[in-house]
């Protein structure tokens, strides 16, 4: 689960300010001391936790099979009684995909999987509504080119709950979906491909996925602190987590899409794992499999022209030629991962037999990767492999030029996943980029330059327009982003695609206009879900500037809409279809396996002294509005054994979520909403005072 890109074309990496804390560096094992590297990394780790919004961070570097740098920084438990150590465990998010890829490649080595055989050869019951599914191969799952929509993650992010719903229901969910592109046409980040690969490993090996990775990887590599939610984790020292909407420590986050993002580990264990990719551990994966994983798979389909980049998919890897190591003539492969609360980065230098891992509570995989890069660069310099650090790059000063008359034809509305982007181009050569769905954000400005691109005033970003062989037009963004004392990353990607005209009938338009501005509330998410940290609702917003569309989705009928975007890398990830249906006079919205109920169906909570709410046989959650007569009263709920309730204020901000607060009492806010979630038949005795 790699972090999504949100906001404008050059979204900042910098997070909110926090109070600085001290970094603790472990003593290196035998080998090069790396004294200067230890010092530099400890300072940068403290910078992450003190300035860049990370609660705690853990890091490790391995060189020639020895862990020579290891440490941690920041805050752990709220009471300060449990110190951070090298054995404190973090969620690795999408870095888990490297375990899944390694498991598949192990079976390739054993002659049990051919990467270019169809998935149906290994999972015969895999089916979709789209006949092209028969063309999907295992290779396409690992290089993100399968054409699957993205992430069927209902009931996958839970608090202290290892429910296997997301794994057990994947095939059922895919059977009700279509593909967004021809298999193999281009690579765009896709979580479902790795859950499907996890299932392939189980079918071919005849064993559970967790057992397979332990037998073949963690046990032989001495990774005693690497677990999955299905393992016995009693006494397992997880790093404490926090979230901005809640004042206090949260229960442990459990990610049950194991093959896509559910493995828990330490920085030291991750660099031990890296040895199979740098030739330090023989007999686990063949050289041929390791080399195959490092090939530029992204070049097999549509992709922007070569430029400095932090993305370039291999098999499993986010990048097989990571910036800035290519500036030094060194190949680096990298994988990052983000859950809601944990973040991870693993960077491996195969030819140098070195790797660095950074894990954190809070922060992001992007900042973790910057720290991993810095750790490796300092170590390379300290042992004399590189002479000096390269200067950070930019595109220089924007030299304004006369713009050709046809360039303004690229103006118009563009789309990326769940976002619309308005592009305006003045005849005088100024480009303006704004987000109509976020009108309070100022527009980004660029000027036309001599090389035919638009450039930002500070010289860190270039914007061009490209019409690909598929006839679609894309915004191509190249940018450098720096954080003081943490280094620089580069990104080159198609950020959005120009929307084509979409005429709809009057009847279809009328059906959607009735929904415009309406909210739909999630009803089929488990009561332990992290989804309740933020108001789990979708709002239908139609824009006059994008007729025939709802956000990035093309309206296809009175009750249906689907994304038609074909954007490689990350801009077109996690697309989905909207389908509305009526049941017992109530309208529901289905999207990517999640079900939402119309706000029109919400009834006010009873404002009297006593009431009873019961989850129906369908198991769907019950939402209520808070009427004026109930607002300001204290609500006490007698909870069932398997149930929770959550209250939100008029702005959708969290007031109380019983799973994390342990509190069954709350003062009801004006014009808020509340939800009871639990197993079918669960009863909630409610009293108001």
């Amino acid at each position: 689960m790699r972090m999504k890109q949100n906001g404008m074309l050059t979204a900042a990496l910098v997070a909110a300010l926090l109070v600085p804390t001290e970094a603790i560096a472990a003593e290196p094992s035998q080998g090069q001391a790396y004294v200067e590297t230890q010092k530099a990394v400890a300072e940068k780790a403290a910078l992450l936790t003190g300035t860049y919004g990370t609660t705690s961070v853990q890091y490790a570097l391995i060189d020639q099979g020895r862990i020579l740098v290891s440490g941690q920084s920041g805050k752990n438990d709220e009471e300060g009684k449990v110190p951070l150590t090298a054995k404190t465990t973090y969620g690795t998010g999408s870095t888990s995909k490297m375990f899944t890829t390694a498991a598949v490649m192990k079976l390739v080595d054993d002659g049990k999987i051919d990467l270019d055989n169809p998935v149906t050869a290994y999972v015969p019951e895999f089916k979709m509504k789209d006949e092209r599914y028969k063309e999907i191969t295992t290779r396409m799952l690992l290089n993100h080119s399968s054409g699957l929509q993205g992430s069927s993650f209902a009931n996958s992010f839970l608090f202290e709950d290892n429910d296997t719903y997301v794994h057990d229901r994947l095939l059922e969910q895919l059977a009700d979906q279509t593909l967004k592109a021809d298999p193999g046409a281009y690579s765009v980040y896709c979580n479902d491909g790795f859950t499907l690969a996890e299932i392939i490993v189980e079918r071919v090996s005849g064993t559970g996925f967790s057992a397979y990775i332990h037998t073949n990887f963690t046990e032989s590599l001495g990774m005693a602190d690497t677990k999955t939610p299905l393992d016995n984790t009693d006494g397992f020292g997880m790093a404490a987590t926090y979230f901005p909407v809640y004042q206090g420590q949260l229960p442990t986050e459990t990610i049950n899409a194991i093959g896509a993002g559910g493995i828990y580990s330490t920085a030291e264990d991750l660099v031990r794992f890296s040895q199979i990719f740098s030739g330090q551990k023989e007999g686990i994966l063949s050289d041929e499999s390791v080399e195959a994983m490092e090939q530029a798979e992204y070049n097999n389909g549509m992709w922007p022209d070569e430029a400095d980049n932090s993305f370039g998919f291999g098999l499993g890897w986010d990048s097989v030629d990571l910036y800035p190591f290519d500036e030094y003539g060194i190949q680096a492969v990298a994988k990052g991962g983000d859950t809601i609360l944990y973040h991870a980065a693993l960077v491996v230098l195969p030819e140098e037999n070195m790797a660095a891992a950074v894990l954190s509570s809070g922060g992001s995989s992007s900042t973790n990767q910057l720290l991993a890069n810095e750790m490796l660069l300092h170590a390379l310099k300290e042992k004399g492999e590189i002479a000096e650090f390269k200067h950070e790059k930019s595109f220089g000063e924007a030299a304004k030029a006369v713009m050709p008359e046809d360039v303004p034809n690229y103006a118009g509305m563009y789309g990326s996943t769940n976002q619309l982007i308005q592009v305006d181009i003045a005849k005088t050569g100024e480009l303006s980029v704004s987000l109509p769905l976020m009108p309070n954000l100022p527009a980004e400005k660029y000027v036309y330059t001599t090389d035919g691109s638009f450039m930002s005033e500070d010289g860190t970003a270039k914007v061009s327009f490209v019409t690909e062989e598929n006839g679609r037009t894309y915004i191509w963004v190249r940018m450098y982003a720096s954080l003081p004392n943490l280094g620089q990353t580069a990104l080159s990607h198609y950020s959005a695609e120009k929307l084509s005209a979409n005429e709809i009938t009057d009847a279809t338009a009328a059906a959607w206009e009735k929904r415009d501005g309406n909210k739909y509330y999630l009803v089929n998410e488990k009561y332990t879900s992290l989804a309740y940290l933020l108001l789990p609702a979708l709002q239908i917003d139609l824009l006059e500037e994008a007729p025939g569309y709802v956000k990035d989705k093309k309206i296809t009928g009175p009750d249906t809409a689907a994304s038609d975007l074909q954007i490689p890398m990350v801009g077109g990830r996690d697309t989905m279809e909207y389908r509305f249906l009526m049941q017992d006079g109530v309208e529901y919205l289905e999207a990517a396996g999640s079900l939402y109920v119309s706000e029109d169906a919400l009834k006010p909570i009873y404002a009297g002294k006593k009431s009873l709410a019961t989850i129906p046989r369908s198991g769907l959650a019950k939402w209520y509005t808070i009427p004026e007569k109930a607002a300001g009263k204290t609500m006490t709920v007698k909870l069932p054994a398997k149930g929770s309730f959550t209250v939100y204020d008029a702005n959708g901000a969290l007031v109380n979520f019983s799973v994390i607060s342990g509190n069954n009492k709350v003062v009801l806010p004006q014009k808020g909403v509340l939800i009871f979630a639990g197993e079918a038949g669960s009863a909630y005795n409610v009293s108001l005072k």
Side-chain angles (χ1 to χ4, degrees), residues 105-121:
M105 299 309 290
K106 179 71 173 173
L107 291 167
V108 170
D109 285 344
D110 293 342
K112 296 179 179 180
I113 288 179
D114 183 325
L115 288 179
D116 297 312
N117 276 349
V119 170
T120 53

Side-chain angles (χ1 to χ4, degrees), residues 354-668:
M354 297 174 68
V358 179
L359 303 176
S360 69
S361 167
S364 75
S365 63
S366 298
T367 50
N368 287 0
Q369 187 168 292
L370 286 175
L371 180 58
N373 292 351
E374 288 290 292
M375 196 168 4
L376 287 164
L377 289 171
H378 275 78
L380 288 167
K381 185 173 184 291
E382 190 166 356
K383 70 176 185 176
E385 292 292 323
I386 60 176
E388 298 292 340
F389 298 132
K390 302 283 186 180
H391 293 296
E392 292 188 349
K393 298 176 73 173
S394 77
F395 297 110
E397 186 176 345
K400 191 171 182 180
V402 176
M403 185 178 68
E405 292 182 357
D406 63 338
V407 174
N409 293 334
Y410 289 112
M413 190 67 70
Y414 288 71
S416 61
T417 299
N418 289 324
Q419 191 57 269
L420 292 173
I421 299 171
Q422 176 66 48
V423 171
D424 296 302
I425 304 175
K427 293 181 179 180
T428 51
E430 288 82 26
L431 167 69
S432 175
V433 180
S434 58
L435 303 180
L437 296 174
M438 304 175 72
N440 293 328
L441 281 180
E444 290 184 353
K445 304 290 186 179
Y446 303 84
V447 297
Y448 191 80
T449 59
T450 52
D451 69 353
S453 66
F454 293 87
M455 190 183 297
S456 61
E457 184 179 0
D458 63 3
T460 61
K462 278 186 176 183
V463 177
S464 303
F465 297 92
V466 177
T467 300
E468 279 281 358
E469 293 180 2
N470 60 10
R472 298 170 183 244
T473 298
Y474 299 91
I475 303 174
W476 179 23
V477 177
R478 287 153 287 170
M479 62 174 288
Y480 295 101
S482 301
L483 285 182
N485 299 310
L486 273 176
Q488 184 180 64
T489 189
L491 183 63
S492 168
H493 71 137
Y494 290 159
S495 66
E497 176 188 328
K498 194 170 189 180
L499 300 184
S500 60
N502 183 38
E503 294 186 8
I504 57 177
T505 66
D506 291 343
T508 294
W512 281 90
E513 285 168 5
K514 288 180 181 179
R515 302 181 181 114
D516 190 19
N518 280 7
K519 285 182 180 176
Y520 291 77
Y521 292 89
L522 186 62
V523 292
N524 68 336
E525 191 73 5
K526 197 170 185 183
Y527 66 94
T528 53
S529 177
L530 274 76
Y532 299 120
L533 287 172
L534 300 173
L535 181 67
L538 292 178
Q539 182 164 315
I540 301 301
D541 290 311
L542 304 180
L543 289 179
E544 291 183 8
E545 302 93 328
Y549 284 84
V550 52
K551 295 184 178 178
D552 62 304
K553 297 163 188 64
K554 183 178 287 187
I555 295 172
T556 55
D559 299 318
T560 56
S563 177
D564 185 45
L565 301 177
Q566 295 198 1
I567 310 174
M569 196 183 302
V570 291
R573 64 173 288 177
D574 295 338
T575 53
M576 64 182 70
E577 302 173 49
Y578 280 0
R579 285 178 282 188
F580 291 89
L581 58 148
M582 296 291 293
Q583 291 182 358
D584 300 324
V586 175
E587 186 175 58
Y588 292 88
L589 165 61
E590 191 277 328
S594 293
L595 190 67
Y596 302 79
V597 66
S598 170
E599 63 180 11
D600 296 336
L602 271 61
K603 297 179 180 179
I605 191 76
Y606 178 61
K609 290 184 178 181
K610 301 284 185 181
S611 62
L612 178 70
T614 304
I615 302 298
R617 284 185 295 177
S618 64
L620 299 182
K622 299 193 72 172
W623 285 88
Y624 295 88
T625 59
I626 298 172
E628 186 174 347
K629 290 183 179 180
K633 292 184 178 181
T634 297
M635 181 177 75
T636 303
V637 181
K638 184 179 179 181
L639 288 165
K642 295 183 178 180
S644 69
F645 79 95
T646 311
V647 179
Y648 304 91
D649 68 16
N651 297 316
L654 180 68
V655 176
N656 184 66
F657 176 19
S658 61
V659 166
I660 64 174
S661 69
N663 189 358
N664 69 336
K665 292 184 179 181
V666 61
V667 176
L668 295 178

